[in-house]
Amino acid sequence: MAAQDGGAKMAAWARGVRGLLLDISGVLYDSGGGGGGAPIAGSAEAVRKIKASGLKLRFCTNETQATREKFVKKLQGLGFDISVAEVTAPAPAACRLLKERGLRPHLLVHDDLVPEFAEIDKTNPNCVVVGDAAENFSYANVNEAFRVLIGLEKPVLISLGRGRYYKETDGLKLDVGAYMKALEYACDVEAEVVGKPAKAFFESALAEMGVPPQQAIMIGDDIVNDVGGAQQCGMRAVQVRTGKYRYLTRELRETLVVAGMAERRQLGGFPGFPVSVFLLHGAWFAAGPPWCPGELPVPRDLQGPAAPLGGRPTSTSC
Ligand SMILES: *[C@@H]1O[C@H](CO)[C@@H](O)[C@H](O)[C@H]1NC(C)=O
Ligand SMILES: *[C@@H]1O[C@H](CO)[C@@H](O)[C@H](O)[C@H]1NC(C)=O
Ligand SMILES: [Mg+2]
């Protein structure tokens, strides 16, 4: 009964939805490890179900170290029904922007990403594009990008993300944002960031899908960049409790607890994804433990003290 009720409410919430945007890392798989990552339980099946349902689907990723071809091959190897044409990533979004504005980039990106810019004129550069170049962030490479940028009459710096650092199996790694900041500082410019949570990034995914924001839902593990970014574009969004989801900030916790008492409306789970959805001051949030049919518990980590960063693992089964 309760499950049916939850299902009906979820159906009402999702009424009019024709398309889904899916984050990849932390939603479909966890990166790192021997095979380059491990699929998250149930996610491959969820992708199959979404496709079978006739909903339009785009995958939205921040990945800027490898071409989409390489990245997609890895995901196919992990059992996902996914193709390059279904993926929205920062590099192709940057290519569109470069073409629109007649910009010719000097690239400071990972060698594996260079093929994404194959069709872009790179002669006589009038801007710099920086991505997560990892080991290609040598002094020589960064300095060369700096020289190009500072030599421009009107320096244009485009960054494929603004992450500070990320974690891999062998430890923390400086991300593109740290190098972006170095170039901004040296040249006294402000970078234009392509990627989540930029509006243009979500809009290009929607355009590729041919669905307006009011008819789309974004599903991600990052409350700010996935959920917040999508909501800024007029989409509905849900947060999954996998990937980088760890705990809620104090601010959000307090709001949610209050809302939890006053206006909490459990809407059930999203097919295949362990989420709960809440209405919060007019905005939709997903939080709480994996949704289990018939259960409406107040999320345990909304009651107790904050879990430490990287804290307790989140369960993904009922
Ligand atoms: C990028 O890094 C790889 C691996 O260290 C190296 O083989 C390659 O020469 C580098 N490319 C550039 C342009 O620095
Ligand atoms: C993706 O990139 C955006 C903007 O470039 C950045 O702010 C954010 O931290 C990244 N989002 C995720 C989900 O990693
Ligand atoms: Mg993610």
Side-chain angles (χ1 to χ4, degrees), residues 23 25 61-62 90 159-164 175-176 193-198 221-222 225-226 244:
D23 178 33
S25 179
T61 181
N62 262 23
S159 189
L160 306 180
R162 58 179 306 137
R164 292 174 175 158
D175 198 355
V176 57
V193 179
V194 179
K196 293 179 281 187
D221 60 326
D222 186 314
N225 298 297
D226 295 327
K244 75 170 64 164

PDB file of all heavy atoms in Angstrom, residues 23 25 61-62 90 159-164 175-176 193-198 221-222 225-226 244, ligand 2:
ATOM      1  N   ASP A  23      24.474  11.593 -14.316  1.00  0.00           N
ATOM      2  CA  ASP A  23      25.888  11.742 -14.009  1.00  0.00           C
ATOM      3  C   ASP A  23      26.507  10.338 -14.095  1.00  0.00           C
ATOM      4  O   ASP A  23      25.793   9.342 -13.978  1.00  0.00           O
ATOM      5  CB  ASP A  23      26.010  12.323 -12.593  1.00  0.00           C
ATOM      6  CG  ASP A  23      27.449  12.463 -12.150  1.00  0.00           C
ATOM      7  OD1 ASP A  23      28.315  12.724 -12.998  1.00  0.00           O
ATOM      8  OD2 ASP A  23      27.700  12.308 -10.938  1.00  0.00           O
ATOM      9  N   SER A  25      30.211   9.315 -12.901  1.00  0.00           N
ATOM     10  CA  SER A  25      31.063   8.921 -11.782  1.00  0.00           C
ATOM     11  C   SER A  25      30.305   9.098 -10.464  1.00  0.00           C
ATOM     12  O   SER A  25      29.790  10.170 -10.173  1.00  0.00           O
ATOM     13  CB  SER A  25      32.334   9.773 -11.802  1.00  0.00           C
ATOM     14  OG  SER A  25      33.145   9.418 -10.719  1.00  0.00           O
ATOM     15  N   THR A  61      29.056  14.060 -17.953  1.00  0.00           N
ATOM     16  CA  THR A  61      30.232  13.810 -17.133  1.00  0.00           C
ATOM     17  C   THR A  61      31.179  14.993 -17.106  1.00  0.00           C
ATOM     18  O   THR A  61      31.163  15.834 -18.005  1.00  0.00           O
ATOM     19  CB  THR A  61      31.003  12.570 -17.640  1.00  0.00           C
ATOM     20  OG1 THR A  61      32.120  12.355 -16.797  1.00  0.00           O
ATOM     21  CG2 THR A  61      31.478  12.761 -19.072  1.00  0.00           C
ATOM     22  N   ASN A  62      32.020  15.051 -16.079  1.00  0.00           N
ATOM     23  CA  ASN A  62      33.068  16.054 -15.938  1.00  0.00           C
ATOM     24  C   ASN A  62      34.407  15.538 -16.441  1.00  0.00           C
ATOM     25  O   ASN A  62      35.381  16.256 -16.380  1.00  0.00           O
ATOM     26  CB  ASN A  62      33.259  16.363 -14.440  1.00  0.00           C
ATOM     27  CG  ASN A  62      32.521  17.603 -14.040  1.00  0.00           C
ATOM     28  OD1 ASN A  62      31.573  17.994 -14.686  1.00  0.00           O
ATOM     29  ND2 ASN A  62      32.979  18.225 -12.964  1.00  0.00           N
ATOM     30  N   PRO A  90      32.803  17.944 -21.028  1.00  0.00           N
ATOM     31  CA  PRO A  90      33.314  19.305 -21.170  1.00  0.00           C
ATOM     32  C   PRO A  90      34.049  19.580 -22.489  1.00  0.00           C
ATOM     33  O   PRO A  90      33.884  20.653 -23.057  1.00  0.00           O
ATOM     34  CB  PRO A  90      34.259  19.450 -19.977  1.00  0.00           C
ATOM     35  CG  PRO A  90      33.709  18.523 -18.956  1.00  0.00           C
ATOM     36  CD  PRO A  90      33.187  17.348 -19.738  1.00  0.00           C
ATOM     37  N   SER A 159      38.419  26.842 -19.087  1.00  0.00           N
ATOM     38  CA  SER A 159      38.810  25.723 -18.234  1.00  0.00           C
ATOM     39  C   SER A 159      37.748  24.624 -18.266  1.00  0.00           C
ATOM     40  O   SER A 159      36.559  24.897 -18.145  1.00  0.00           O
ATOM     41  CB  SER A 159      39.011  26.226 -16.796  1.00  0.00           C
ATOM     42  OG  SER A 159      39.579  25.204 -16.016  1.00  0.00           O
ATOM     43  N   LEU A 160      38.219  23.398 -18.424  1.00  0.00           N
ATOM     44  CA  LEU A 160      37.295  22.251 -18.507  1.00  0.00           C
ATOM     45  C   LEU A 160      36.997  21.724 -17.113  1.00  0.00           C
ATOM     46  O   LEU A 160      37.126  20.534 -16.841  1.00  0.00           O
ATOM     47  CB  LEU A 160      37.913  21.134 -19.362  1.00  0.00           C
ATOM     48  CG  LEU A 160      38.371  21.538 -20.763  1.00  0.00           C
ATOM     49  CD1 LEU A 160      38.968  20.335 -21.491  1.00  0.00           C
ATOM     50  CD2 LEU A 160      37.221  22.116 -21.565  1.00  0.00           C
ATOM     51  N   GLY A 161      36.616  22.631 -16.216  1.00  0.00           N
ATOM     52  CA  GLY A 161      36.330  22.239 -14.844  1.00  0.00           C
ATOM     53  C   GLY A 161      37.036  23.167 -13.889  1.00  0.00           C
ATOM     54  O   GLY A 161      37.862  23.993 -14.310  1.00  0.00           O
ATOM     55  N   ARG A 162      36.673  23.073 -12.603  1.00  0.00           N
ATOM     56  CA  ARG A 162      37.341  23.901 -11.606  1.00  0.00           C
ATOM     57  C   ARG A 162      37.577  23.127 -10.310  1.00  0.00           C
ATOM     58  O   ARG A 162      37.681  23.690  -9.237  1.00  0.00           O
ATOM     59  CB  ARG A 162      36.547  25.179 -11.366  1.00  0.00           C
ATOM     60  CG  ARG A 162      35.107  24.943 -10.899  1.00  0.00           C
ATOM     61  CD  ARG A 162      34.370  26.242 -10.657  1.00  0.00           C
ATOM     62  NE  ARG A 162      35.106  27.083  -9.746  1.00  0.00           N
ATOM     63  CZ  ARG A 162      35.275  28.398  -9.890  1.00  0.00           C
ATOM     64  NH1 ARG A 162      34.761  29.019 -10.906  1.00  0.00           N
ATOM     65  NH2 ARG A 162      35.943  29.094  -9.010  1.00  0.00           N
ATOM     66  N   GLY A 163      37.627  21.815 -10.418  1.00  0.00           N
ATOM     67  CA  GLY A 163      37.865  20.972  -9.245  1.00  0.00           C
ATOM     68  C   GLY A 163      39.222  21.282  -8.628  1.00  0.00           C
ATOM     69  O   GLY A 163      40.179  21.598  -9.331  1.00  0.00           O
ATOM     70  N   ARG A 164      39.304  21.206  -7.296  1.00  0.00           N
ATOM     71  CA  ARG A 164      40.563  21.482  -6.597  1.00  0.00           C
ATOM     72  C   ARG A 164      41.465  20.253  -6.586  1.00  0.00           C
ATOM     73  O   ARG A 164      42.656  20.328  -6.830  1.00  0.00           O
ATOM     74  CB  ARG A 164      40.278  21.896  -5.162  1.00  0.00           C
ATOM     75  CG  ARG A 164      39.607  23.237  -5.093  1.00  0.00           C
ATOM     76  CD  ARG A 164      39.206  23.576  -3.691  1.00  0.00           C
ATOM     77  NE  ARG A 164      38.680  24.930  -3.689  1.00  0.00           N
ATOM     78  CZ  ARG A 164      37.874  25.403  -2.759  1.00  0.00           C
ATOM     79  NH1 ARG A 164      37.523  24.644  -1.741  1.00  0.00           N
ATOM     80  NH2 ARG A 164      37.434  26.627  -2.830  1.00  0.00           N
ATOM     81  N   ASP A 175      43.718  18.849  -9.158  1.00  0.00           N
ATOM     82  CA  ASP A 175      42.806  18.863 -10.301  1.00  0.00           C
ATOM     83  C   ASP A 175      43.027  20.138 -11.124  1.00  0.00           C
ATOM     84  O   ASP A 175      43.786  21.029 -10.742  1.00  0.00           O
ATOM     85  CB  ASP A 175      41.356  18.764  -9.786  1.00  0.00           C
ATOM     86  CG  ASP A 175      40.365  18.325 -10.863  1.00  0.00           C
ATOM     87  OD1 ASP A 175      40.767  18.182 -12.040  1.00  0.00           O
ATOM     88  OD2 ASP A 175      39.191  18.130 -10.536  1.00  0.00           O
ATOM     89  N   VAL A 176      42.311  20.221 -12.204  1.00  0.00           N
ATOM     90  CA  VAL A 176      42.454  21.319 -13.160  1.00  0.00           C
ATOM     91  C   VAL A 176      42.279  22.701 -12.522  1.00  0.00           C
ATOM     92  O   VAL A 176      42.951  23.665 -12.919  1.00  0.00           O
ATOM     93  CB  VAL A 176      41.478  21.142 -14.346  1.00  0.00           C
ATOM     94  CG1 VAL A 176      40.032  21.047 -13.896  1.00  0.00           C
ATOM     95  CG2 VAL A 176      41.628  22.239 -15.375  1.00  0.00           C
ATOM     96  N   VAL A 193      34.509  28.741 -17.224  1.00  0.00           N
ATOM     97  CA  VAL A 193      34.504  27.314 -16.924  1.00  0.00           C
ATOM     98  C   VAL A 193      33.411  26.601 -17.714  1.00  0.00           C
ATOM     99  O   VAL A 193      32.256  27.021 -17.716  1.00  0.00           O
ATOM    100  CB  VAL A 193      34.317  27.077 -15.414  1.00  0.00           C
ATOM    101  CG1 VAL A 193      34.276  25.592 -15.106  1.00  0.00           C
ATOM    102  CG2 VAL A 193      35.439  27.744 -14.633  1.00  0.00           C
ATOM    103  N   VAL A 194      33.815  25.551 -18.403  1.00  0.00           N
ATOM    104  CA  VAL A 194      32.864  24.726 -19.159  1.00  0.00           C
ATOM    105  C   VAL A 194      32.670  23.433 -18.376  1.00  0.00           C
ATOM    106  O   VAL A 194      33.638  22.802 -17.987  1.00  0.00           O
ATOM    107  CB  VAL A 194      33.418  24.394 -20.558  1.00  0.00           C
ATOM    108  CG1 VAL A 194      32.445  23.526 -21.326  1.00  0.00           C
ATOM    109  CG2 VAL A 194      33.721  25.658 -21.326  1.00  0.00           C
ATOM    110  N   GLY A 195      31.468  23.049 -18.133  1.00  0.00           N
ATOM    111  CA  GLY A 195      31.222  21.817 -17.361  1.00  0.00           C
ATOM    112  C   GLY A 195      30.221  22.106 -16.274  1.00  0.00           C
ATOM    113  O   GLY A 195      29.764  23.235 -16.117  1.00  0.00           O
ATOM    114  N   LYS A 196      29.844  21.082 -15.537  1.00  0.00           N
ATOM    115  CA  LYS A 196      28.910  21.284 -14.435  1.00  0.00           C
ATOM    116  C   LYS A 196      29.535  22.193 -13.382  1.00  0.00           C
ATOM    117  O   LYS A 196      30.724  22.054 -13.129  1.00  0.00           O
ATOM    118  CB  LYS A 196      28.558  19.933 -13.800  1.00  0.00           C
ATOM    119  CG  LYS A 196      27.758  19.044 -14.731  1.00  0.00           C
ATOM    120  CD  LYS A 196      27.439  17.704 -14.103  1.00  0.00           C
ATOM    121  CE  LYS A 196      28.609  16.763 -14.142  1.00  0.00           C
ATOM    122  NZ  LYS A 196      28.289  15.403 -13.686  1.00  0.00           N
ATOM    123  N   PRO A 197      28.886  23.112 -12.721  1.00  0.00           N
ATOM    124  CA  PRO A 197      27.444  23.331 -12.815  1.00  0.00           C
ATOM    125  C   PRO A 197      27.039  24.434 -13.804  1.00  0.00           C
ATOM    126  O   PRO A 197      25.980  25.016 -13.641  1.00  0.00           O
ATOM    127  CB  PRO A 197      27.108  23.755 -11.388  1.00  0.00           C
ATOM    128  CG  PRO A 197      28.307  24.557 -10.964  1.00  0.00           C
ATOM    129  CD  PRO A 197      29.487  23.949 -11.672  1.00  0.00           C
ATOM    130  N   ALA A 198      27.895  24.728 -14.782  1.00  0.00           N
ATOM    131  CA  ALA A 198      27.587  25.825 -15.710  1.00  0.00           C
ATOM    132  C   ALA A 198      26.274  25.556 -16.452  1.00  0.00           C
ATOM    133  O   ALA A 198      26.021  24.449 -16.918  1.00  0.00           O
ATOM    134  CB  ALA A 198      28.731  26.006 -16.698  1.00  0.00           C
ATOM    135  N   ASP A 221      25.322  12.566  -7.930  1.00  0.00           N
ATOM    136  CA  ASP A 221      25.729  12.345  -6.540  1.00  0.00           C
ATOM    137  C   ASP A 221      26.235  13.632  -5.891  1.00  0.00           C
ATOM    138  O   ASP A 221      26.523  13.647  -4.702  1.00  0.00           O
ATOM    139  CB  ASP A 221      26.794  11.248  -6.438  1.00  0.00           C
ATOM    140  CG  ASP A 221      28.060  11.582  -7.206  1.00  0.00           C
ATOM    141  OD1 ASP A 221      27.956  12.242  -8.260  1.00  0.00           O
ATOM    142  OD2 ASP A 221      29.149  11.179  -6.757  1.00  0.00           O
ATOM    143  N   ASP A 222      26.337  14.714  -6.668  1.00  0.00           N
ATOM    144  CA  ASP A 222      26.886  15.964  -6.156  1.00  0.00           C
ATOM    145  C   ASP A 222      25.755  16.973  -5.984  1.00  0.00           C
ATOM    146  O   ASP A 222      25.143  17.403  -6.964  1.00  0.00           O
ATOM    147  CB  ASP A 222      27.942  16.475  -7.144  1.00  0.00           C
ATOM    148  CG  ASP A 222      28.681  17.696  -6.636  1.00  0.00           C
ATOM    149  OD1 ASP A 222      28.026  18.630  -6.130  1.00  0.00           O
ATOM    150  OD2 ASP A 222      29.915  17.720  -6.755  1.00  0.00           O
ATOM    151  N   ASN A 225      26.879  20.571  -7.747  1.00  0.00           N
ATOM    152  CA  ASN A 225      27.175  20.628  -9.187  1.00  0.00           C
ATOM    153  C   ASN A 225      26.163  19.885 -10.051  1.00  0.00           C
ATOM    154  O   ASN A 225      25.888  20.292 -11.170  1.00  0.00           O
ATOM    155  CB  ASN A 225      28.578  20.107  -9.453  1.00  0.00           C
ATOM    156  CG  ASN A 225      29.619  20.965  -8.765  1.00  0.00           C
ATOM    157  OD1 ASN A 225      29.747  22.138  -9.078  1.00  0.00           O
ATOM    158  ND2 ASN A 225      30.323  20.393  -7.811  1.00  0.00           N
ATOM    159  N   ASP A 226      25.614  18.803  -9.534  1.00  0.00           N
ATOM    160  CA  ASP A 226      24.613  18.061 -10.300  1.00  0.00           C
ATOM    161  C   ASP A 226      23.209  18.585 -10.003  1.00  0.00           C
ATOM    162  O   ASP A 226      22.516  19.086 -10.882  1.00  0.00           O
ATOM    163  CB  ASP A 226      24.665  16.559  -9.950  1.00  0.00           C
ATOM    164  CG  ASP A 226      25.983  15.908 -10.376  1.00  0.00           C
ATOM    165  OD1 ASP A 226      26.543  16.338 -11.394  1.00  0.00           O
ATOM    166  OD2 ASP A 226      26.420  14.969  -9.692  1.00  0.00           O
ATOM    167  N   LYS A 244      30.180  10.361  -4.268  1.00  0.00           N
ATOM    168  CA  LYS A 244      30.743  11.317  -3.323  1.00  0.00           C
ATOM    169  C   LYS A 244      29.754  11.729  -2.239  1.00  0.00           C
ATOM    170  O   LYS A 244      30.107  12.454  -1.324  1.00  0.00           O
ATOM    171  CB  LYS A 244      31.311  12.538  -4.051  1.00  0.00           C
ATOM    172  CG  LYS A 244      30.286  13.506  -4.573  1.00  0.00           C
ATOM    173  CD  LYS A 244      30.952  14.790  -5.044  1.00  0.00           C
ATOM    174  CE  LYS A 244      31.882  14.583  -6.221  1.00  0.00           C
ATOM    175  NZ  LYS A 244      32.229  15.843  -6.902  1.00  0.00           N
TER     176      LYS A 244
HETATM  177  C1  LIG B   2      32.547  19.456 -12.434  1.00  0.00           C
HETATM  178  O1  LIG B   2      33.078  20.653 -12.871  1.00  0.00           O
HETATM  179  C2  LIG B   2      32.486  21.751 -12.264  1.00  0.00           C
HETATM  180  C3  LIG B   2      32.734  22.974 -13.061  1.00  0.00           C
HETATM  181  O2  LIG B   2      33.803  22.812 -13.913  1.00  0.00           O
HETATM  182  C4  LIG B   2      33.028  21.800 -10.864  1.00  0.00           C
HETATM  183  O3  LIG B   2      32.609  22.947 -10.195  1.00  0.00           O
HETATM  184  C5  LIG B   2      32.543  20.578 -10.151  1.00  0.00           C
HETATM  185  O4  LIG B   2      33.213  20.411  -8.952  1.00  0.00           O
HETATM  186  C6  LIG B   2      32.626  19.300 -10.946  1.00  0.00           C
HETATM  187  N1  LIG B   2      31.485  18.519 -10.608  1.00  0.00           N
HETATM  188  C7  LIG B   2      31.581  17.264 -10.267  1.00  0.00           C
HETATM  189  C8  LIG B   2      30.294  16.569 -10.039  1.00  0.00           C
HETATM  190  O5  LIG B   2      32.644  16.699 -10.165  1.00  0.00           O
END
